[in-house]
Each structure stands twice: as C-alpha cells, then as structure tokens.
Amino acid sequence: MSPVPGDAPVKVRRVVFAPSGLSATVEDGTTLLDAARTAGADLDSTCGGRGLCGRCQVVPSIGNFSKWQIDSRPDAITGWTATETDYTGRRPITDGQRLGCAAQVCGDLVVEIPAASQVHKQVVRKSVDVGDIEIDPLVRLHYLELEKAELGSELRGLAEQIGAALLADYDVTITRIDTHVLPLIADAVRGGDEAITVAVRYGHEVCAVYPGYVDRAFGVAVDVGSTTVAGHLVDLSTGEVLASNGVMNPQIRFGDDLMSRVSYVMMNPGGEVELTRSIRTALDAMVGELLTDAADTVDTLRPIDRRSILDMTIVGNPIMHHVILGIDPTPLGQAPFLLATDSAVTVRATDLGIDAPFASAYLLPCIAGHVGADTAGAILAEGPHRSEELQLLVDVGTNAEIVFGNSSHVLAASSPTGPAFEGAQISAGQRATAGAIERVRIDRDTLEPRLRVIGADVWSDDAEFTMQTMKLDISGICGSGIIEVMGEMYLAGLIDVDGTIRSDGPERTDRIFADGRTYSYRLWGDSEDPTQNINVTQDDVRAIQLAKAALRAGIDLLCEHAGHTDPEAIGSVRLAGAFGAHIDPLYAKVLGLVPDVPVALVSSVGNAAGAGAVRALVSAAQRAEIESAVRRVEKIETATEARFQELFVNAMGFPHTTEPTPNLATETVLPVAQERAASAGARRRTGRRRPR
C-alpha cells in the first residue's frame, strides 16, 4: 500500500538477537517479542505478550558491533513502559533487563536473550543428575483472551475461537482438542472472564484448559524398580526438579524378586491383576505425595493440584513395564522371553489408575526381554551411544542390567545376580533403613571393626556414637555395608581368594569363631550367644560370590562380544541404581564386581534410570533420541550363551580367579593367600598378588 500523502514514511530497523545472531527487519514501534518471533529467535512467553508472565525479559546491548555492522544505542529502544511499571508477575524484572513484550524498537539494535528467557534452556537440575540438556517439553501453556460474546454476535464455538486465537497469537495450529477437555471449556471461559490458559501437547493438541492466567505446568517422572519406586515432580518449562519421593514397591508381598512375582501369577489365576492394581495404587499415591511436598514451597499463581500435572514419564524393567500396562508378564518368565511390545507406549494417566486428568503417560521403550525401559533411561542419562570412549554402565540390583560400548556399537545384557546385594540371602542382611550398618573398616593389625550406621553421623569408635545410636536398633547390614565388610575381610586376610573364611582366623582374633564346619566373623555385638550378634558367615560370603560372579560374567561376556577384553580400553565404569550409588568404587574392584580399570575411572552415578525419565519428560528430542538409540543396541542373552558358565566360574574368586589386577595392586595392599597342605590334584596357593 502506498503511503498517504503528508504521512511520515514508516522507518524500518534491523534487530539482531544474541547469542544466536538471528536478525529481523521490522518497523518502528514493533515490540522486541514480535521482532524475535519474526527473526525466529528463541524468546519465551506464555502470556502472549500481555505483560503477565515475565518470561520474555531481554537485555538491550549498547555499543558498536562490527560483527553485525550495528551501532546499538540506548535510544534505539523505547523508555520504561506502563506495562513494566505495573508488572507484578512471579518473575521480577532483573536490573538491566526489559520485558520484550513491552519495549519497542526505534532504532537499529542488538538484543541479548539471557538463558532464563530462552524456550530451549540449558539448565542443571537437582535431586537427579540429568546433566545439561535442551528443555523442549511436549506440553506448553498459552494464555488467551477471547472476545466477549454478545447476543447476536457471529462468534464461532469456543473450541474454534481457541484455535483461531492460538494461531493468531502464537502461530500454533490446533488439529484436535481432547474429548475430556471439551466439556470444561465453557466453565473455564466464564471463570476467567473470557481469559483462559490452554495447554497444548505435541504443538497441535489442546490437552487442558484453565480459567485465567496459569504460569506453570508440571510433570512427573517415575522409576519403578522391583524393590523401590522413585518419583520426581518437575517444572516442564525449566526442567527444575521441585520434589522427589520414594516408596517401597508394594509388589514385594508377592515375592522379593521378579521371577517370584511371575511365579505368583503362574500359580494364581488372576494374579497379574493384583500385581497391576498394587503398583498403580502406589503410583497414584506417589503423585499425591509429590504434590503435597511441593504445595508449600512451589510458587504458583494457581494452587498446584492433580490438574496441574500435564505429562508423565515412566521407566521400569520389562516385567514392571508390562504389569503397569496391565499386560500378563508370564511370557517374560520363560524362554524366549518375548515382550508384548518393545516400543515406547503413550496412554492417558487415568488409564493407569493415576488421578491426573490432564496428563499423558509415556513409557520409555524396552530393549529386550530382560533389559527394560529402566536401562533405556540409564542409557539416555549416561549416553554411551554419544561417547567416543568405551563406557561400561552397570545398574546393580536384583537383576543387574549391563550396557557396554560407545557411539559406534552398544551392547546390553541382564545378569541374574539375585537379591544378595540388597540384603536378602544374607544372615544379617536388611534393607537400607535407620540402624542398618552401611560402612565397615577392619584394622589390619587388631582385626577390630569400625562401622557406620544409617541414622548416625559418626563411626563406632567416636565418643558420640553411643549417644547418636541410642534410639536406633542396630540389627543388620544393608547392601553397601555387605560389600564393604566382604572387601575389608578379604583385605584384612580373613577371607581367602577362593572366598573361604580362613581357618587360621581364630588364632589371630576372637572375632573369628567356629560355626559348624566353617567359620564366621562377629561384626557387632558381644553376647555369649552368637545368634544374638551380627555375624558374617561362610554362607554369606558364598551368596555374595555367586551374585558378584553372575554380574562379572555378564560384564566379561559383553566385553568379549564387543572385542574389548583389555580393561585398559575402557574409558569409564559407571555404577547406577539406588544400590550402585552407595558402592565405594574401591570395594567394587576388591570384590571383582567390575574389571580392573583404574579406580578413578569407576564412579557412582545414582539413579540413572530416573534421570533418563526426567530427560524424556522435559524434552521431545530426548524421547526421539532414545527411541532411535535402543533400536541400535545389540542384545546379548546370557541364559543362552555357552561362555557364560565358564566366565561365571572364573569370576568366583576375590577379586577374580583368573584375571590379573595390576591397577588394584597399586591402589591398596592385597593380602597373602593362606598356605594349605598340598594334596592330590590340589595346587598350593602362595605369595602376594602382584601386578602383571
């Protein structure tokens, strides 16, 4: 259109947005938010430029920018506006920043978009370590102000008005509105006086509607383990973990391990229904507890409740995965261990018995019959498929999952370690609760133990220990304590390389005593009745040997399949899971749980499966990444591998029966094996283990 004679010509200005360098040519009076949209720059806003959310804050950059050939001056942007003066949103306007929806262009300008104002933010979360990822949630909030209807007005239906407003204000094209949302629209519009906030999933589906302005949306990430269930409440727009919770998996009453639960289903018609009902009830209760925990600490304009939850992600082993979905798990209890589906599954949360009416639940893909969505989550969090160096990732639990490889080739397997690491099958074993022994040290000369228990901050030889444990019942040893006491007994020369509690022990300390045809070690207590004390028995040692040999055999099998049997080729070893997070890397090596890499390369990474669930919750790209990555993982079935049994036998010794441990020999003093009388067919054990 030609300018009207006498009107001043419209001036156009060039605006460059840092750090991206994207630019746009816009007319005078254009807001910085609109200029950013024109340029395609990454500037956040949930209120549609109405000065409510405070997410579009920018920093005008002053100076001469030869890179972009712009002299950016203070008068290239309008002064402080009434919108900014009256702003009372949850995010205060930071000194030196302006609201992009209020400040207008009146000259060539360079504008910095700070990280907090970017839609795809790089942030670090708390509670679970998910690293730095790009926030790209599948559900976003949009604030709309609809035209007030009058009698005789030719407005379309409310759903159509919402679609038109989303297109006009946010360039969002709606293809559907969830059927459970349609009945709620009219009340929301009336309650908000024609102002509403809608949640859009996948960029084109309306999945929730609220009256007025809502500033925050939330999601829940859950890791369903065979023993514990861990959940995290997350702000979808920032990735911040706002609350975390953990409960015992109620399915334990049907069996301690997965196979015993499958057996329960096999022997009890309809048993799968009971398993499903119990875990779904626990998930629903966990969501409620997370919301309660966050209610007093999370700052929101609208009270946080179950309608605030808009997305969920769930990880778990294959049996948990199937049980949650209401799928019979018995095919996973027998060869060929066939999954009903190994793809990611998306359902409504209410279909899983979880009272979150607006939420969708996404279950990460499984890998194989014994390698599930929890392993997929761990892979996503730790990234072996993104690494140039070889990474060994081990989730230590009742059924250990093992991943080995790098960006060229990733292999995965499970190994039946059993529940010994978690305290089952151990005479004084117990779960990690207050009073459980969690750390142990044995003096190399006196063979007297020191220990730490959950619920106390000091070691047992500290003067404060008695006071701190006065109300605690020191009644057993939890998983990390079991690993350490076994390692310490071996390093102190009380257990031989073949796992035998040495017969010369009673000559060295009265803590070693005859227990039938074998020997035991009194760790805690001074009762004359041995059964009243906390002891480590020969059967306990054997149980740990069997568990660790199964784990190590699985690791060695993957290394053989990958063609990398030299520990020096491994770039890092990562111990994951609630139990793995508490294992001291040195003792993992002493027992031979992992290959003989330098101890500095062994680390505990915590709940990697849960971290992967959080990543998938806040990023569509992360979901696409793991769905692609798991299809490239080579699955190794340990149950059908002929080499597994030989590797298992070789791994029974401490640290290992056949493999040398030169790195370990430089990291601690290894004991001298007990000399035994030579006999036919027997080989005499001699000398200190040396580097080779």
Side-chain angles (χ1 to χ4, degrees), residues 16 159 227 416 422 532:
V16 176
T227 303
E422 296 179 346
Q532 300 301 308

Side-chain angles (χ1 to χ4, degrees), residues 544-593:
I544 291 299
Q545 280 185 279
L546 292 170
K548 78 99 176 181
L551 173 59
R552 180 62 182 273
I555 292 173
D556 291 344
L557 189 64
L558 284 193
C559 291
E560 287 189 358
H561 275 272
H564 298 288
T565 56
D566 183 0
E568 297 297 330
I570 300 174
S572 66
V573 176
R574 308 186 184 195
L575 304 175
F579 175 58
H582 294 91
I583 297 177
D584 186 308
L586 177 64
Y587 292 99
K589 290 190 58 181
V590 168
L591 294 193
L593 289 171

